[in-house]
């Protein structure tokens, strides 16, 4: 909704200022100029990107518009699931823990945290590295390097829509010039017409230049930034998992390791330490794992 408010303010200020200067809004109504610019932009976008990126760009646009970013409930579920897994790793045998990561959909741990269970890529990420921890052969710095590489790959793929839209936004001013040139060509073909008609043709041509620049810097470029911010927030859970598991591998108790992960959440979205403690110790832990006396919590 906020995106639409911003676009409305931008368009209202643009058209209102133009009208206040004495401009006629009807002059800007040149639909074929917009068809040339937008149609060419969409065509070149499809040419330059694989179909998967084209589809993902549509998904990214919807996520940016709806503000589909991890909520506090999501972060609490993630930290709770990690805490429960680490308690299992500390207190139970390898076979018992493997049962949770081999079939997460049937695991009582993950069933207690639906946000994590409903995010298959992140769930797979967690299970892969818990499995490596269970094996016990890999060193912490090796796991960290592997996590960094995988997260880099994930972020790069998630930001593909942003990068592709930036390229299109940078091309729009040039496409506006192309539309303007076509308009001038049309005007040159009507030199024998009245000055009034010829002036209308030239004015229509200049609308193409205006539209290309405005759509680039006033609409598409800001929206691409919105997509980038949304996708970066959606990648944040991977960083949380990384820091939590690495802290655990380095000898931290589960609750301390969870605190390492909590600190990776942006301050404006970060749940308090008391809320996290209540969720991980006094809440879903009783469902996810066998309850332990509160005095002996890790």
């Amino acid at each position: 909704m906020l995106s639409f408010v911003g676009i409305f303010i931008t368009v209202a200020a643009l058209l209102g200022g133009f009208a206040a200067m004495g401009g006629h809004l009807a002059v800007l109504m040149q639909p074929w100029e917009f068809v040339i610019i937008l149609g060419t932009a969409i065509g070149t976008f499809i040419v330059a990107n694989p179909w998967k990126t084209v589809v993902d760009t549509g998904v990214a646009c919807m996520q940016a518009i709806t503000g589909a970013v991890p909520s506090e409930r999501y972060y609490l579920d993630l930290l709770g699931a990690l805490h429960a897994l680490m308690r299992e790793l500390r207190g139970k045998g390898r076979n018992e823990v493997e049962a949770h990561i081999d079939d997460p959909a049937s695991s009582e741990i993950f069933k207690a945290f639906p946000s994590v269970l409903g995010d298959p890529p992140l769930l797979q990420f967690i299970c892969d590295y818990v499995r490596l921890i269970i094996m016990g052969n890999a060193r912490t710095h090796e796991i960290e390097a592997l996590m960094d590489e995988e997260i880099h790959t994930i972020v790069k793929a998630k930001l593909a829509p942003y990068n592709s839209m930036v390229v299109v936004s940078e091309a729009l001013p040039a496409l506006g010039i192309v539309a303007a040139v076509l308009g001038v060509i049309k005007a040159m073909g009507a030199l024998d017409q009245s000055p009034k008609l010829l002036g209308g043709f030239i004015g229509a041509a200049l609308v193409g230049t205006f539209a290309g620049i405005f759509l680039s810097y006033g609409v598409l470029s800001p929206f691409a930034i919105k997509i980038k911010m949304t996708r970066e927030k959606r990648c944040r859970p991977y960083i949380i998992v990384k820091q939590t598991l690495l802290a655990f591998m380095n000898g931290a108790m589960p609750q301390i390791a969870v605190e390492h992960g909590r600190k990776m959440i942006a301050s404006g979205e970060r749940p308090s330490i008391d809320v996290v403690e209540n969720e991980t110790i006094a809440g879903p832990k009783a469902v996810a794992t066998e309850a332990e006396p509160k005095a002996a919590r890790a």
Side-chain angles (χ1 to χ4, degrees):
M1 179 60 70
L2 193 60
S3 299
F4 290 112
V5 172
I7 292 176
F8 174 79
I9 293 173
T10 302
V11 174
L14 179 76
L15 299 181
F18 179 70
M21 291 189 302
H24 299 288
L25 295 180
V27 176
L28 299 179
M29 300 298 107
Q30 304 295 335
W32 294 114
E33 293 285 330
F34 287 92
V35 168
I36 293 171
I37 296 169
L38 295 178
T40 306
I42 293 172
T44 53
F45 172 78
I46 294 174
V47 170
N49 296 283
W51 183 246
K52 183 178 180 180
T53 301
V54 174
V55 174
D56 193 35
T57 300
V59 174
C61 289
M62 291 303 301
Q63 290 172 346
I65 291 172
T66 59
V69 297
S71 62
E72 181 176 319
R73 178 71 264 163
Y74 182 97
Y75 287 129
L76 289 172
D77 276 3
L78 176 58
L79 294 173
L82 292 172
H83 182 268
L85 281 172
M86 289 184 293
R87 289 179 67 87
E88 292 281 300
L89 288 168
R90 284 178 60 86
K92 295 188 177 180
R94 172 175 175 172
N95 291 337
E96 294 178 271
V97 180
E98 280 186 335
H100 293 293
I101 61 177
D102 287 340
D103 187 11
S106 302
S107 166
E108 292 301 320
I109 289 179
F110 291 113
K111 284 181 179 179
F113 304 99
S115 297
V116 178
L117 191 59
D119 189 346
L122 181 67
L123 184 63
Q124 187 63 52
F125 184 84
I126 294 172
C127 291
D128 286 346
Y129 288 101
V130 171
R131 185 176 286 107
L132 289 177
I133 293 174
I134 292 173
M135 291 177 181
N137 295 324
R139 299 176 181 176
T140 303
H141 70 273
E142 294 173 341
I143 297 292
E144 182 176 9
L146 184 59
M147 283 182 169
D148 286 338
E149 287 298 321
E150 183 170 0
I151 291 173
H152 174 75
T153 302
I154 291 171
V155 172
K156 184 177 180 180
K158 291 291 186 182
L159 293 182
Y162 159 74
N163 293 322
S164 61
M165 288 190 70
V166 167
V167 172
V168 174
S169 71
E170 291 174 347
L172 275 174
L175 295 177
I177 294 174
V178 170
V181 169
L182 291 175
V184 171
I185 292 172
K186 176 184 175 182
M188 292 299 100
L191 286 177
D192 58 338
Q193 302 296 320
S194 67
K196 181 178 180 180
L197 185 62
L198 188 60
F201 288 157
I202 295 174
L206 293 176
V207 169
T209 303
F210 148 75
I213 296 173
F214 170 70
L215 291 174
S216 173
Y217 298 107
V219 178
L220 201 60
S221 184
F223 194 70
I225 294 174
K226 181 78 170 180
I227 288 176
K228 181 182 180 183
M229 293 172 62
T230 301
R231 282 297 174 91
E232 286 178 342
K233 288 182 179 181
R234 292 178 68 87
C235 290
R236 179 57 50 179
Y238 294 92
I239 308 294
I240 296 171
V241 172
K242 170 195 164 185
Q243 293 302 123
T244 302
L245 293 182
L246 288 178
F248 178 74
M249 291 182 69
N250 283 322
M253 302 292 279
Q255 195 62 33
I256 301 300
V258 165
E259 181 63 12
H260 280 252
R262 189 184 75 88
K263 290 296 186 181
M264 295 298 103
I265 305 172
S267 59
E269 304 161 356
R270 183 189 306 156
S272 69
I273 187 171
D274 292 332
V275 172
V276 172
E277 183 175 338
N278 290 334
E279 285 285 328
T280 57
I281 296 178
K285 187 263 297 184
V287 179
T289 61
E290 294 180 4
E292 296 184 10
K294 191 172 183 179
R297 62 184 168 181

